[in-house]
Amino acid sequence: MSAQERRESVVRAAITEFARGGYAATSTETIARRVGVSQPYLFRLFPSKQAMFLAAAERCLSDTIDLLVEAGAGREGEDVTQCMAVAYGRLLSDDPDMLLMQMQTYAAVAAAEASGDHEFGASVRATWVRMWDEIHLALGGDIEATKNYFAHGMLMNTLSSLGFSADHRVWSAFWETARPGAAGTPPV
């Protein structure tokens, strides 16, 4: 396996481990064990635990951006919003580590900011702004649609994080197909 392939394995393992344990509680030894490499080898691929975490956080956000942009591609109006919501609902259901990694990322950046470390979250903020910009473009540059999309997305994060099942009444404001775990297909 090449160093690049091994690096990719580390990023994927880091997403899983940091998603489940958070930044502070996840050891690099745990990540190394998941990948099947030595801890010293990890540090040949990444200079620090922080670099591994940030690579995992950026990958999580970048993969989410790609998924949403692809879901909305070639669509217009409300159809874009619904298709992206459906894709995001499926992501929350099919890959819960992606949601947990997002939540851990927000918590880690907030903790760093609170302790005076404003540099820790710089790359995450840059990736998040890219997500805002790309979704804003996919929604036709409509600021209200963008704001509403992100508001609903964050509500989906909260409901999913709290473990509300797709049939719970708190999901009633969402399209049936956008609820995590719900059956259905996006409009064609």
Side-chain angles (χ1 to χ4, degrees):
M1 184 179 287
S2 72
Q4 184 57 33
E5 291 168 325
R6 188 66 75 184
R7 185 177 168 82
E8 178 64 23
S9 295
V10 171
V11 169
R12 291 288 170 199
I15 287 172
T16 299
E17 294 301 331
F18 285 127
R20 296 173 186 180
Y23 179 69
T26 300
S27 71
T28 56
E29 181 180 329
T30 303
I31 296 168
R33 207 173 21 253
R34 178 174 281 277
V35 178
V37 298
S38 68
Q39 198 173 13
Y41 185 76
L42 277 184
F43 290 108
R44 281 192 259 156
L45 299 171
F46 293 92
S48 65
K49 176 181 172 180
Q50 180 177 342
M52 271 181 256
F53 179 84
L54 293 174
E58 290 170 26
R59 172 61 61 78
C60 175
L61 293 174
S62 290
D63 285 356
T64 302
I65 294 166
D66 294 345
L67 174 88
L68 296 175
V69 169
E70 182 179 319
R75 303 180 187 284
E76 294 183 15
E78 187 72 12
D79 198 28
V80 176
T81 305
Q82 185 175 5
C83 287
M84 288 193 311
V86 168
Y88 192 63
R90 285 187 182 150
L91 175 67
L92 298 181
S93 176
D94 295 348
D95 193 352
D97 286 345
M98 293 294 275
L99 169 64
L100 291 174
M101 186 65 203
Q102 273 189 62
M103 303 307 270
Q104 295 289 2
T105 298
Y106 302 148
V109 171
E113 288 289 320
S115 71
D117 181 353
H118 306 296
E119 193 57 35
F120 180 84
S123 64
V124 173
R125 284 188 293 276
T127 305
W128 205 93
V129 167
R130 183 170 67 86
M131 180 165 46
W132 173 276
D133 291 343
E134 292 199 29
I135 290 172
H136 183 65
L137 288 174
L139 295 172
D142 181 336
I143 194 67
E144 284 299 312
T146 305
K147 178 185 72 173
N148 288 334
Y149 182 81
F150 275 92
H152 280 90
M154 289 300 169
L155 179 57
M156 290 172 78
N157 286 355
T158 300
L159 298 178
S160 294
S161 294
L162 293 173
F164 284 104
S165 65
D167 61 349
H168 193 281
R169 65 184 169 77
V170 297
W171 284 102
S172 64
F174 293 92
W175 291 287
E176 183 73 28
T177 54
R179 298 175 190 178
T185 57
V188 180

